[in-house]
Amino acid sequence: MNKTLDLETLASLCKRRGFIFQSSELYGGINGFWDYGPLGCELKRNIKDAWWKAVVRTREDVVGLEASIIMHPAIWKASGHADGFADPMVDCKDCRKRFRADQLCEEQGVELIKTEATFALPDGVQCPACGSKNLTPPRSFNLMFKTFVGPVEDETNVAWLRPETAQAIFAQFSNIVATARQKVPFGVAQMGKSFRNEINPRNYTFRSREFEQMELEFFIRPDEAVELICGHVTQLDDKPDLMGPPQASWGWNVWLHYWIEQRLTWYRAIGLPEADLEQYWQVGDELAHYARACVDIEYAFPFGVQELEGIAARADFDLTQHQTHSGKHMDIFDETLKQAAAKLDDPAREAFTRKVVTDWTRQGKSEEDARAFVAKLFDGKYIPHVIEPSAGTDRLALALLSNAYDEETFTDHKGKTDTRTVMRFHPSIAPIKLGVFPLVKNKPELYGKARDIFAQLQRRWNCFWDESGAIGRRYRRMDEAGTPWCVTVDFQTLDDDTVTLRERDNMQQVRLSLSDLVDKLDAEIG
Ligand code: ATP
């Protein structure tokens, strides 16, 4: 972590260099909305491409989806968002500022009082802005943005901007199963905009009202189906190889840990140091009632260790909800399961049924439901369970920006002390990969050669042409943009096709041929 970095310093560099601007700044800005400038949009595009490549393109068991942002409102009823996606809000009656009650309590080291349907503030909580204790009782505030579809603004035309991308994956589950030629276990990934009318947007882009998510729903067999097929269910105690290929015998908890490892490995590969990544396992009533486990992957931001991604084991909650609300079945047929069940004789079936009934009733579920579930399993049918790694693109961009920022004091070749601001992005996510400079601009032959080299490299990577000012100043500008390498085309290039390559991190310069340069970039960008 960049321990000395404060958000103002980072935000000022981001504005000055064109990473992030306040949305609608011309008209005084709009709280909770941000624009990504020329460098910022390249950074975000690289993050999304890297995620898509890791989660979809390089796997055979994940496919993609790009759904609409506005969907049938019944989807949000089924998912629980229409009734339950709310935060408790309090207002200060003196200074009129508004806060999230849970955050207020957390910051002041007290517990928000939760009853069945309402919240209350414990004694002593005060307004962080003016110190007044004259606060309203907490009221529930639904975070979904409301709009109307078509010209008539009445209740029958209400629709919502999606507060997460994941829900469309469940709503399109049957179409995907019918077309994707995938069998459980397999996943569906989606990334795109989500909207939450956050009560208190803060910490720069960390909590915004419009943001992007990168979400995966990875569908797995219920453990009971795994047991029928494999005769046992691999648990963590069996020490499965989480970095190797997934195994048919894995239970849900092994899959959860597999995805945690996959995601942490990816964060490290794009440059977040292991020491700045933490896991927070939700406990007690932090955990949604249907979730079996949920872990937050957290990053040490300049304002504290905070959530970057949530990875949840959601059992069959979402598909079951859509089955109930739509009246359309969400079972899938699993031929391997059907064949495994067909091999069991009657006593073995009875023993298996008894075991499931005992397990389920111990968890407070009904015997009738357990028996119906087992009967379906014997027919090869079940509603898949799901592991959901859900990441925020903007939060990751902020983490990468914070991690990259460095102010370095060094001694130059003349023995003079100098300082530079340098964004040390991993090459794979750096907005610009290479700066290309002609040593001088008034020698047509050299200039033309440099333009040719630039055009050639630009076909592969995002390169930046800079012909103005001393070479040292050009390097400094590229350091602030986080460009890992710069090449200078000089007179020698005309003779032997070599260029001077300057490394951002150690400021060393080496002479190498154009083809060696291409090989180096290929290897280091990945
Ligand atoms: P938080 O507790 O911080 O409000 P959450 O637990 O509600 O987040 P999820 O619903 O799990 O978040 O969303 C998944 C991911 O989407 C988060 O880990 C985060 O990266 C991102 N995200 C959620 N809300 C926002 C927001 N308001 N601004 C930016 N990113 C967000």
Side-chain angles (χ1 to χ4, degrees):
M1 188 195 17
N2 213 314
K3 297 201 169 54
T4 53
L5 177 65
D6 61 77
L7 271 188
E8 285 69 37
T9 309
L10 183 66
S12 131
L13 174 109
C14 285
K15 181 173 177 191
R16 182 157 46 82
R17 289 313 317 246
F19 283 101
I20 301 173
F21 306 128
Q22 190 182 16
S23 164
S24 321
E25 192 192 283
L26 189 60
Y27 293 95
I30 169 168
N31 195 8
F33 298 88
W34 300 94
D35 293 344
Y36 289 82
L39 289 181
C41 72
E42 290 290 344
L43 175 69
K44 266 187 86 176
R45 186 173 292 263
N46 292 342
I47 293 171
K48 290 187 282 186
D49 285 351
W51 184 84
W52 195 257
K53 191 169 166 197
V55 174
V56 185
R57 289 265 171 89
T58 53
R59 299 185 63 102
E60 289 176 75
D61 57 358
V62 178
V63 293
L65 175 71
E66 194 168 316
S68 62
I69 285 172
I70 293 178
M71 300 190 288
H72 195 293
I75 286 179
W76 305 115
K77 195 80 191 158
S79 69
H81 286 83
D83 300 319
F85 193 58
D87 281 337
M89 163 176 89
V90 291
D91 291 306
C92 172
K93 290 187 196 159
D94 290 330
C95 75
R96 310 219 159 267
K97 289 226 163 66
R98 180 161 287 172
F99 306 95
R100 241 173 81 174
D102 53 333
Q103 290 176 346
L104 208 61
C105 289
E106 196 184 318
E107 283 160 11
Q108 297 180 26
V110 290
E111 284 270 323
L112 179 67
I113 303 162
K114 292 181 195 164
T115 61
E116 200 70 351
T118 56
F119 297 98
L121 289 178
D123 284 342
V125 175
Q126 57 186 49
C127 171
C130 73
S132 162
K133 291 191 178 153
N134 198 4
L135 303 172
T136 63
R139 309 183 298 292
S140 242
F141 172 72
N142 194 304
L143 299 182
M144 285 200 294
F145 276 99
K146 189 180 191 176
T147 188
F148 298 92
V149 175
V152 184
E153 291 194 7
D154 66 16
E155 282 305 303
T156 59
N157 293 316
V158 165
W160 309 94
L161 303 192
R162 66 182 180 201
E164 60 170 39
T165 64
Q167 220 40 238
I169 297 174
F170 300 117
Q172 287 293 6
F173 178 71
S174 302
N175 278 329
I176 296 168
V177 169
T179 53
R181 305 197 57 221
Q182 289 283 348
K183 290 196 172 76
V184 175
F186 79 99
V188 183
Q190 170 162 231
M191 54 191 184
K193 290 271 183 172
S194 291
F195 302 82
R196 296 183 188 178
N197 201 357
E198 297 281 358
I199 294 166
N200 209 354
R202 58 184 186 168
N203 287 335
Y204 199 19
T205 57
F206 180 84
R207 188 172 300 286
S208 309
R209 291 180 164 139
E210 174 177 338
F211 55 96
E212 282 188 273
Q213 291 182 306
M214 307 182 288
E215 299 192 290
L216 168 68
E217 299 301 332
F218 196 84
F219 298 100
I220 55 173
R221 291 177 170 129
D223 280 7
E224 294 85 346
V226 172
E227 170 134 26
L228 275 179
I229 293 168
C230 301
H232 70 286
V233 179
T234 300
Q235 305 292 353
L236 281 179
D237 288 347
D238 302 322
K239 305 227 172 343
D241 174 12
L242 296 175
M243 297 313 288
Q247 301 297 313
S249 64
W250 284 3
W252 69 265
N253 200 18
V254 176
W255 275 111
L256 174 67
H257 282 80
Y258 166 81
W259 277 109
I260 295 168
E261 284 311 313
Q262 291 290 314
R263 301 297 306 133
L264 287 171
T265 304
W266 183 73
Y267 283 122
R268 291 192 294 262
I270 60 167
L272 292 184
E274 177 149 24
D276 291 343
L277 292 165
E278 292 185 16
Q279 293 178 33
Y280 176 77
W281 287 81
Q282 294 188 4
V283 289
D285 63 4
E286 293 172 334
L287 206 57
H289 66 93
Y290 48 82
R292 286 174 156 175
C294 183
V295 59
D296 294 340
I297 306 285
E298 299 184 323
Y299 172 74
F301 286 96
F303 43 85
V305 178
Q306 298 268 339
E307 175 179 338
L308 200 53
E309 166 161 355
I311 307 181
R314 300 174 63 89
D316 60 356
F317 173 77
D318 306 271
L319 287 177
T320 304
Q321 284 294 103
H322 286 295
Q323 173 168 286
T324 309
H325 283 253
S326 68
K328 308 213 171 78
H329 81 81
M330 293 286 168
D331 291 329
I332 59 118
F333 175 67
D334 187 330
E335 180 63 41
T336 316
L337 174 64
K338 168 105 191 205
Q339 284 173 11
K343 288 190 195 131
L344 298 182
D345 58 16
D346 284 347
R349 283 178 168 236
E350 194 35 50
F352 182 80
T353 309
R354 268 203 311 276
K355 186 167 176 249
V356 175
V357 167
T358 311
D359 276 358
W360 279 43
T361 47
R362 206 181 288 139
Q363 293 166 35
K365 297 189 242 175
S366 80
E367 174 168 349
E368 197 189 346
D369 286 352
R371 287 189 178 276
F373 169 74
V374 174
K376 274 195 165 181
L377 281 188
F378 289 157
D379 281 341
K381 289 185 186 159
Y382 54 81
I383 293 180
H385 286 214
V386 76
I387 306 291
E388 178 190 78
S390 168
T393 317
D394 308 80
R395 280 193 191 172
L396 178 52
L398 185 58
L400 291 165
L401 283 161
S402 319
N403 181 63
Y405 189 94
D406 191 16
E407 281 171 28
E408 188 184 20
T409 304
F410 62 96
T411 312
D412 70 12
H413 60 279
K414 292 180 195 145
K416 225 175 80 197
T417 303
D418 202 353
T419 55
R420 63 170 185 155
T421 302
V422 50
M423 297 297 284
R424 299 188 191 273
F425 293 121
H426 187 278
S428 66
I429 55 113
I432 302 167
K433 309 299 185 211
L434 189 71
V436 181
F437 312 154
L439 181 66
V440 291
K441 55 181 174 183
N442 56 0
K443 295 279 180 251
E445 202 187 346
L446 187 152
Y447 190 88
K449 177 79 182 170
R451 287 299 300 174
D452 287 349
I453 292 173
F454 175 64
Q456 182 193 332
L457 295 169
Q458 207 190 17
R459 269 184 246 129
R460 297 283 311 278
W461 298 289
N462 190 31
C463 298
F464 189 83
W465 173 262
D466 193 352
E467 59 181 44
S468 58
I471 293 285
R473 292 180 68 89
R474 294 184 229 174
Y475 287 153
R476 245 9 99 66
R477 290 194 288 257
M478 286 288 97
D479 287 345
E480 280 197 340
T483 306
W485 304 282
C486 297
V487 296
T488 304
V489 175
D490 57 21
F491 293 101
Q492 194 181 330
T493 315
L494 298 175
D495 294 335
D496 63 6
D497 254 359
T498 61
V499 289
T500 303
L501 179 78
R502 186 261 194 183
E503 302 252 357
R504 173 196 67 199
D505 289 341
N506 58 17
M507 297 188 284
Q508 299 293 310
Q509 299 183 20
V510 288
R511 186 119 209 142
L512 79 183
S513 71
L514 269 177
S515 66
D516 285 350
L517 170 70
V518 169
D519 290 348
K520 181 181 167 65
L521 263 57
D522 253 335
E524 296 204 28
I525 294 168

